[in-house]
Amino acid sequence: TPRATVLLSFSEAAERVCPNPGLPGRLAVFILKGLGRFFYGLLAITLMISACAPAASSPAVPTPTAATPSQSQPVTTPTASPAIAAPVPRATQVAATPTSTAPKRGGVLTFANTADPPTLDPHQMESNISYSIVYSHYSGLTRWDSSDTSVMVPDLAEKWEVSADGKTYVFSLRGDALWHDGQPLTAADVKFSLDRAKAPPKGVASRWASLFRNVAAVEAPDARTVRVTLQEPQAAFLTFVSQATLPIIPKHVIDASGQDVLQRRVVGSGPFKFKTYTRGVSYEAERFNDYFVKGRPYLAGYKEFIVPDATTAFAALRSGQLDMINIFPGVTPAQVEEISKSDLKNRIVVQKGPTEASWYFAMNLRRKPWDDVRVRRAVSLAWDRKTSIQAIEDGFGSVGAFMPPGGPWDLPEKELLSTPGYRSDKASDLAEAKKLLAEAGYPNGLATTVLTRQGTSYENASIFAVDQLAKIGIKATLNVQQSTAYLDARQRRDFDTDVQPLGFAMDDPDAVIGATYVTGASQNYVSFSDPEVDRLFAEQTKALDPAKRRALVLDMQRRLLANVPLVIQLWRGRALAHQKYVKGYQFSSSLYRNWNYDSVWLDR
């Protein structure tokens, strides 16, 4: 596309400038390309110029002090009923690299983000662009261990107890947690946060509200105790409260300045606190010296550069101007291959594995013709899912249904590959799809629009969708929006069809199906509603027998495959890359568990 060509030319110019950085080189880029080019190319090269500046103009890196031994959180064994314990998330394909070197303190970690965050309010975020920026500013009752993101550990809660019937959780809070403004964090903040997540006030959109529909009451009998009462036992409840997407927020700040204050102001209790933010350029955070985990974090801070173009970001990593590329989707398969076959392999580390994120094609059931299940089934039949992996993700992904493939809840492969739309005989699927369209009253096809957001990966996925629809006579026109406008349109259900990736903080049906396909769920953007899916969901969420729960989840997916609320194009793979001197950062299959940075340090 013209935009891609411009971005590429800017990237190439920047790379040529990098070997001889400095003011003359920076001016040369502007002379080469001029100031009148379109905005994203100019922004990309401006950031690259900043990245290619001499070392003297890089962010100041404090001189490392004597190494401080790692001091982990208090070791407390939670009391829980084995019958309702949340399933342990599946392990990633990457193992931690052992090191005998004591972590060094100091240094500023640099990495790239693809766009400005649409919001800074953690309860209202719908994009990893935002999560990656503020994750490290907040804390939760529990959290995922930075060194092994499949393990849940205490955070603000030192310990917790569960009643025999599995309906009551009592959390005992630590007494040394402070907000970044110096105020003490108490049980009142926890109650306020959980209540806000469950029943967001007017003007607040809580993405995860449906996860807490089972919460009957949250009480704070004293400053260090929180009691949560559930309507029914829930296997996944502890997993829910460990999410970085639902941290504890400061009640006193919102009481003083209103519900929208966190959209523009970051006040957390995590290892890093806000420093500066220049829109379109960079976001900076610095160490919170009063963080309750003594000796952490090791870093003096981190700086995220806003770099919309992935080629530009990789050039900065390759030249050593960025320490890491970890924001989804990370580095491409082609870039991974380049690293493995060049001298880069001696100084750049690649970590990769599966993710709990999919690309979907959604149809708005509030609008015709998508309210007709025959039309939706026709679209699903037309989709070549195997080809989509290569076309959208350069082969880095896998075919799956409505739960992540390879996890504890996925459909058996043999069954899935015999399902209409997943079968290898696409000629038969296409013939059946056209027949269904004719039965629905569209023998000559129809016209629609496809909503998506700006960015190479989004637009590539959308172009592929247009091609798939054309095979059965559906003529689609792209409606490409800037991220904030796109998210607003999706939230208002103002679209015909929609192509996007969708990531989950955990591989659990309560989070994936409960947040997306149950009637009225907060991420049910297509307005799908099926009483049978709702019934099966309600049964599985309180099922104490793991085998029974899995059987119910499989039945839910079979029902969803028949009713096609949306088309799962593929489940994504991911690779991150960082300089060899970056230590303590671990790959996670989830997009939302590894941006705490408290254990990251720079060995230089």
Side-chain angles (χ1 to χ4, degrees):
T1 64
R3 172 155 57 242
T5 302
V6 172
L7 288 174
L8 180 59
S9 64
F10 271 106
S11 300
E12 292 172 343
E15 290 179 42
R16 295 190 182 101
V17 171
C18 278
N20 183 30
L23 180 59
R26 294 196 299 271
L27 292 175
V29 174
F30 285 101
I31 293 170
L32 282 169
K33 294 301 175 185
L35 296 175
R37 294 286 189 171
F38 106 74
F39 175 75
Y40 283 100
L42 179 57
L43 176 58
I45 192 61
T46 302
L47 295 172
M48 190 60 209
I49 289 168
S50 173
C52 289
S57 62
S58 298
V61 180
T63 303
T65 59
T68 301
S70 170
Q71 298 185 31
S72 60
Q73 298 187 357
V75 179
T76 306
T77 303
T79 303
S81 168
I84 62 168
V88 177
R90 59 196 170 107
T92 70
Q93 296 176 352
V94 180
T97 303
T99 177
S100 58
T101 305
K104 299 176 182 178
R105 292 180 63 79
V108 174
L109 181 74
T110 60
F111 50 97
N113 208 329
T114 56
D116 286 288
T119 178
L120 295 176
D121 185 336
H123 285 183
Q124 300 195 70
M125 291 178 180
E126 298 190 43
S127 169
N128 70 87
I129 292 170
S130 295
Y131 289 125
S132 69
I133 283 180
V134 304
Y135 184 123
S136 68
H137 294 315
Y138 291 94
S139 307
L141 286 171
T142 60
R143 71 179 179 93
W144 301 103
D145 191 349
S146 300
S147 60
D148 183 352
T149 59
S150 68
V151 177
M152 187 190 300
V153 296
D155 201 16
L156 292 172
E158 291 183 312
K159 61 180 181 179
W160 53 90
E161 297 178 354
V162 185
S163 63
D165 63 1
K167 293 184 180 181
T168 303
Y169 289 73
V170 178
F171 297 91
S172 298
L173 306 184
R174 57 190 309 139
D176 56 353
L178 297 176
W179 292 108
H180 292 164
D181 61 6
Q183 294 296 311
L185 189 153
T186 70
D189 295 301
V190 177
K191 172 177 167 52
F192 176 79
S193 300
L194 296 183
D195 285 343
R196 186 181 191 248
K198 174 181 169 61
K202 184 177 181 181
V204 174
S206 173
R207 178 185 184 187
W208 304 103
S210 58
L211 298 185
F212 287 87
R213 67 179 73 192
N214 188 38
V215 174
V218 181
E219 302 167 279
D222 60 59
R224 294 185 59 184
T225 305
V226 176
R227 182 184 297 110
V228 180
T229 304
L230 306 180
Q231 299 176 48
E232 300 286 348
Q234 188 169 23
F237 178 71
L238 276 178
T239 308
F240 288 169
V241 297
S242 71
Q243 289 190 90
T245 53
L246 285 169
I248 305 307
I249 58 176
K251 180 178 184 296
H252 68 283
V253 172
I254 291 181
D255 284 347
S257 303
Q259 287 288 347
D260 65 345
V261 64
L262 297 186
Q263 296 266 19
R264 58 186 183 274
R265 184 181 174 198
V266 181
V267 181
S269 60
F272 292 93
K273 64 179 182 178
F274 172 82
K275 184 179 180 182
T276 61
Y277 172 34
T278 303
R279 189 169 181 81
V281 179
S282 64
Y283 182 99
E284 294 185 68
E286 61 186 353
R287 178 193 292 131
F288 179 42
N289 290 322
D290 292 322
Y291 183 46
F292 52 78
V293 181
K294 305 307 178 187
R296 299 286 185 95
Y298 302 123
L299 295 168
Y302 62 81
K303 185 171 185 176
E304 284 193 60
F305 292 95
I306 312 301
V307 187
D309 180 35
T311 304
T312 301
F314 184 69
L317 178 77
R318 185 171 51 202
S319 66
Q321 303 300 319
L322 285 179
D323 296 325
M324 180 162 59
I325 293 178
N326 65 322
I327 307 305
F328 200 82
V331 290
T332 67
Q335 290 166 346
V336 171
E337 184 176 4
E338 179 181 345
I339 292 170
S340 69
K341 293 183 177 181
S342 68
D343 62 339
L344 295 178
K345 66 183 178 183
N346 296 321
R347 58 185 179 86
I348 294 180
V349 175
V350 173
Q351 299 185 47
K352 63 181 180 179
T355 72
E356 293 155 17
S358 63
W359 275 104
Y360 67 73
F361 175 77
M363 298 154 280
N364 190 344
L365 274 64
R366 293 182 179 181
R367 298 183 179 181
K368 292 184 177 300
W370 312 115
D371 58 342
D372 190 326
V373 69
R374 293 171 295 183
V375 177
R376 302 198 303 273
R377 286 174 181 166
V379 170
S380 181
L381 282 161
W383 225 270
D384 190 336
R385 291 166 172 84
K386 288 185 177 179
T387 301
S388 73
I389 296 172
Q390 186 62 46
I392 300 173
E393 294 288 338
D394 292 329
F396 199 12
S398 53
V399 173
F402 291 88
M403 294 297 297
W409 313 104
D410 63 339
L411 278 170
E413 183 179 26
K414 184 177 180 180
E415 177 183 351
L416 181 66
L417 296 182
S418 65
T419 300
Y422 289 84
R423 299 175 298 203
S424 59
D425 184 1
K426 294 310 298 179
S428 297
D429 278 353
L430 287 172
E432 187 176 340
K434 291 175 182 177
K435 181 180 178 182
L436 283 170
L437 279 182
E439 290 175 0
Y442 303 96
N444 300 316
L446 57 99
T448 191
T449 59
V450 178
L451 175 69
T452 191
R453 70 170 95 177
Q454 291 172 343
T456 303
S457 61
Y458 303 118
E459 294 173 35
N460 284 346
S462 301
I463 291 169
F464 182 79
V466 170
D467 177 69
Q468 299 303 288
L469 295 171
K471 293 189 298 185
I472 53 173
I474 299 178
K475 184 178 180 181
T477 303
L478 291 184
N479 177 15
V480 183
Q481 297 288 332
Q482 182 268 344
S483 289
T484 302
Y486 162 79
L487 292 170
D488 179 64
R490 185 177 67 173
Q491 188 67 39
R492 292 185 288 106
R493 280 58 171 175
D494 184 16
F495 63 89
D496 291 328
T497 69
D498 171 26
V499 173
Q500 277 298 293
L502 184 62
F504 301 95
M506 68 195 82
D507 184 0
D508 188 276
D510 279 19
V512 179
I513 294 176
T516 314
Y517 306 107
V518 171
T519 301
S522 53
Q523 294 182 79
N524 188 348
Y525 302 117
V526 298
S527 303
F528 175 73
S529 180
D530 179 58
E532 181 62 12
V533 169
D534 293 349
R535 184 191 69 79
L536 289 167
F537 178 83
E539 276 195 51
Q540 68 80 31
T541 195
K542 59 186 178 183
L544 303 183
D545 179 352
K548 179 181 178 182
R549 190 179 184 214
R550 172 171 164 75
L552 290 166
V553 173
L554 296 184
D555 283 346
M556 268 196 298
Q557 292 186 80
R558 295 178 183 115
R559 182 78 181 181
L560 290 169
L561 286 168
N563 284 276
V564 197
L566 46 78
V567 172
I568 302 294
Q569 301 194 64
L570 62 97
W571 286 87
R572 308 177 77 178
R574 180 168 73 107
L576 59 91
H578 56 79
Q579 306 293 344
K580 196 172 183 179
Y581 55 74
V582 175
K583 307 293 185 181
Y585 189 82
Q586 197 62 33
F587 177 92
S588 173
S589 60
S590 169
L591 309 185
Y592 306 108
R593 293 186 199 155
N594 61 343
W595 290 325
N596 181 270
Y597 303 123
D598 70 321
S599 62
V600 177
W601 57 283
L602 305 179
D603 189 15
R604 62 179 182 184

